[in-house]
Amino acid sequence: MIRFNSVSKKYKKSVAALEDINFSIEDGEFVFLVGPSGAGKTTLLKLIIGEIKPTHGSVHVDDYIVSKLAENKLPYLRRKVSFVFQDFKLLAERTVVENISVSLEILGKTTVEAEKRIEAVLSMIKLSDKGNYFPRQLSYGEQQRVAIGRAIAGEAKILLADEPTGNLDPKTSWEILKIISAINKDGKTVIMATHNVDIVNSLKKRVIVIKDGKIIKDEKKGSYS
Ligand SMILES: Nc1ncnc2c1ncn2[C@@H]1O[C@H](COP(=O)(O)OP(=O)(O)O)[C@@H](O)[C@H]1O
Ligand SMILES: [Mg+2]
């Protein structure tokens, strides 16, 4: 469960990037976070992984009070919550399999367990035949799939995706959405920040709209215009 309790965030002395944000998200939900550029979407996601702290209020993920979590406890939170960026951040000198393995190494899996998990992840991201490719040998859409694979390979049960289709054409965006939907059906909670009106309106999932740092709409089976 994720819960925001009267959360505000100010960067330095500027106006609030988020103001009095309240919501909760149950395990297994799929939530679109939409709103214009500068609305506060990335700020909200960064608060969930504890990359930044709120100015007021509290952020909770299960039993963790993220807003109070000490720096040295963040790795425990990050095992629960993983993050996909718009610009992939893959390791250029590592293969697809090696990029995905990164999140397994720290979990101390045996080689057999890790190999099994990697096989399952490759199948989920539909790259079973390209495990030995390097990122430069892949299309943008395929690289984004690897980034998603890396994010879900470990034990994280919450996936945060910050405009994961922002640099992709419509067809490739839909392929990414299919994979993210499958991950959600597999039991993981998904929060996806996006501008993609077509995708949001087709999927009929919960939609949280933010504008100027405030939630202006929060609807089950929502839409966006
Ligand atoms: N590190 C930062 N320092 C100062 N202001 C920031 C910083 N990050 C974001 N902001 C400001 O906070 C507001 C919300 O930004 P952001 O969360 O990135 O919005 P979005 O992801 O919806 O485009 C914007 O006005 C932005 O300029
Ligand atoms: Mg953003």
Side-chain angles (χ1 to χ4, degrees):
M1 193 217 50
I2 300 167
R3 187 158 57 88
F4 274 51
N5 219 332
S6 304
V7 170
S8 299
K9 174 66 186 175
K10 267 190 178 184
Y11 293 100
K12 303 197 178 111
K13 284 178 187 148
S14 58
V15 288
L18 289 176
E19 207 176 323
D20 196 26
I21 298 292
N22 293 283
F23 65 85
S24 62
I25 293 174
E26 300 299 324
D27 289 348
E29 272 197 82
F30 189 124
V31 180
F32 284 118
L33 183 62
V34 300
S37 190
K41 303 180 294 297
T42 299
T43 300
L44 191 152
L45 296 177
K46 283 180 175 171
L47 285 163
I48 299 173
I49 52 166
E51 190 176 318
I52 55 175
K53 300 264 191 243
T55 315
H56 294 289
S58 57
V59 175
H60 306 254
V61 173
D62 294 342
D63 296 335
Y64 290 101
I65 305 174
V66 180
S67 43
K68 282 191 182 164
L69 207 60
E71 199 75 17
N72 64 354
K73 295 284 192 314
L74 278 180
Y76 298 103
L77 175 75
R78 302 279 166 83
R79 286 188 190 181
K80 259 185 206 281
V81 188
S82 63
F83 205 102
V84 175
F85 302 92
Q86 187 173 344
D87 57 350
F88 327 131
K89 296 191 169 41
L90 296 177
L91 302 167
E93 300 308 317
R94 306 267 189 102
T95 65
V96 168
V97 164
E98 288 164 349
N99 267 282
I100 292 170
S101 306
V102 167
S103 53
L104 291 172
E105 281 161 17
I106 52 163
L107 294 174
K109 300 261 186 213
T110 64
T111 315
V112 176
E113 282 173 329
E115 276 172 3
K116 258 178 117 172
R117 182 62 190 148
I118 287 167
E119 216 173 286
V121 170
L122 285 175
S123 149
M124 203 151 201
I125 60 173
K126 303 198 171 12
L127 283 176
S128 297
D129 52 340
K130 294 190 174 170
N132 294 321
Y133 282 46
F134 287 92
R136 64 176 171 277
Q137 299 171 305
L138 301 173
S139 70
Y140 263 148
E142 288 170 334
Q143 289 181 50
Q144 184 58 291
R145 274 144 58 188
V146 177
I148 292 169
R150 181 182 54 190
I152 61 160
E155 291 164 345
K157 49 173 225 160
I158 299 171
L159 177 67
L160 308 180
D162 196 0
E163 305 202 32
T165 63
N167 293 328
L168 305 174
D169 61 69
K171 182 170 168 281
T172 314
S173 298
W174 272 108
E175 287 166 11
I176 296 286
L177 247 293
K178 267 194 217 153
I179 289 166
I180 293 179
S181 293
I183 290 166
N184 171 248
K185 289 207 178 83
D186 199 41
K188 296 195 198 278
T189 309
V190 173
I191 306 178
M192 172 172 159
T194 184
H195 283 300
N196 196 317
V197 177
D198 287 345
I199 283 174
V200 173
N201 290 344
S202 308
L203 264 76
K204 309 257 183 310
K205 299 290 186 185
R206 180 172 171 189
V207 178
I208 296 179
V209 183
I210 54 175
K211 197 181 166 204
D212 299 331
K214 298 190 190 80
I215 293 182
I216 57 167
K217 190 160 110 173
D218 180 354
E219 280 181 354
K220 302 254 176 216
K221 303 197 178 178
S223 61
Y224 174 46
S225 53

